[in-house]
Every structure is written in structure tokens, then in C-alpha cells.
Amino acid sequence: MPYSPPSRTPSGPRRRTLLASAAGAALLVGCSSGSHETEETTAGSPSVTERARTRAARDSGGIVERYDAVIAAYPGLAERLGVLRGEVARHVEAFGGTGSGSGTGSGSATATATGSASPGASSSASAAPSVVPGTEKEALVELATAERALADARAKALLEVPGELARLLASVAAAGAAHAYLLTEAAK
């Protein structure tokens, strides 16, 4: 039987692997602690986070108003749109808005009116339509377009906000994109 020399590979992890793991762990700890510091240091003034939350609540309130206008004009769509409208009303609440769940839209009108003068507002998403389109199909297409525009705006905005708000914006943007899809399919 031939003799085979012992393997020179040590048992256990290599030194390079340990160094890379330690460096990666230090990097992760540094990243996570930095995001918390950013949120805490801006707490004394209107932070990027608070402005983004206010804008998101206002924009969702504008979408609620659009749903309310379409439901008022086309009561036959109330059952179909009621669920989506309810979800958008919960988005307003998730962003810190109030009064949107009442069904009348009065709370969302207040949110829209109080924030409409602020710079950087997304006027296409938050402005209530002046006239509801002439047909149900056109109304559904308009709602889908508004939901899609707002979802796109939120997807861009989430890159500018820290941690938890970015996750919330991403989740609500995904829901808005799903709403746009469902509305587009309903309009076919």
C-alpha cells in the first residue's frame, strides 16, 4: 500500500476567513449604529424623516379623496373600491395621519389642506381630482395612474430616509403598485 503524506490543510477555519468575518462584523455594527444616530441627532428639528412621513400621509390622503370621489360618482364601484380605499386609509394612519378611516374623507381633506403649501409636495398624487371621469372605466384608469405615480414616487423617496421609514415606504409602495395593477385589470 502506497504511503500518502499527511495533508497540510489545518483543521478549522483559515486565518483569512476569520479576518474577513471580523471585518464584516465590524462593518455591519458600524452601519447599524450610524443609522440610529442620524435619526436621534435630527430629533430637535423637522427631520428628513418627519417631512417624509408628513408628505407620505398627505399623499395617501389625496388618494383616499380620489377613491371617495369615484365612489360618490359611481356607487356601483363601492364594493370593489372599498377594500382598496380602506388599505390606503390605513397607509395614512401608518404614516401618522389621522381621521382618514371615517369613510367621509374629511380627515384626509384636512391632511391635504394643511400640507399642500409645503415645498416638495407631490401634487400629482396628493391633489384631489377636480372632475371625476365620465365613465367607470376612465375613473378606474385614473385611480390606477394615481396609485402607480405615488408608488413610483415612494420607491424613489425610500432611498433618502433611514431604516424603519424606508421599510414602511417600500411596503406601501408595493401595495400601491398592487392596487394599480388591480385597478388596471378591473378597467379592462
Side-chain angles (χ1 to χ4, degrees):
M1 177 145 122
Y3 171 74
S4 60
S7 171
R8 295 195 53 110
T9 307
S11 63
R14 293 184 172 190
R15 183 174 27 194
R16 287 184 205 157
T17 305
L18 289 174
L19 288 173
S21 297
L27 182 63
L28 286 175
V29 169
C31 289
S32 65
S33 66
S35 66
H36 294 296
E37 290 171 11
T38 303
E39 291 180 53
E40 292 170 4
T41 58
T42 59
S45 65
S47 67
V48 171
T49 303
E50 287 307 310
R51 287 191 308 265
R53 258 185 203 283
T54 301
R55 182 174 42 249
R58 182 184 58 245
D59 290 346
S60 288
I63 296 292
V64 169
E65 289 177 353
R66 287 176 182 251
Y67 276 102
D68 289 343
V70 170
I71 290 170
Y74 302 107
L77 292 175
E79 184 177 336
R80 178 180 288 170
L81 296 182
V83 173
L84 298 178
R85 186 220 176 267
E87 288 295 317
V88 177
R90 281 188 281 283
H91 298 164
V92 173
E93 293 170 7
F95 288 119
T98 58
S100 62
S102 64
T104 63
S106 61
S108 60
T110 304
T112 303
T114 58
S116 61
S118 67
S122 175
S123 61
S124 64
S126 63
S130 57
V131 176
V132 176
T135 67
E136 287 183 1
K137 183 177 179 177
E138 290 171 348
L140 291 172
V141 168
E142 182 184 89
L143 280 172
T145 302
E147 285 271 20
R148 190 173 299 108
L150 185 54
D152 291 345
R154 286 184 171 151
K156 290 177 186 173
L158 71 90
L159 299 173
E160 300 171 1
V161 295
E164 192 61 34
L165 182 57
R167 287 186 282 277
L168 180 59
L169 279 172
S171 176
V172 173
H179 293 176
Y181 172 78
L182 292 171
L183 291 165
T184 301
E185 289 298 308
K188 288 184 179 179

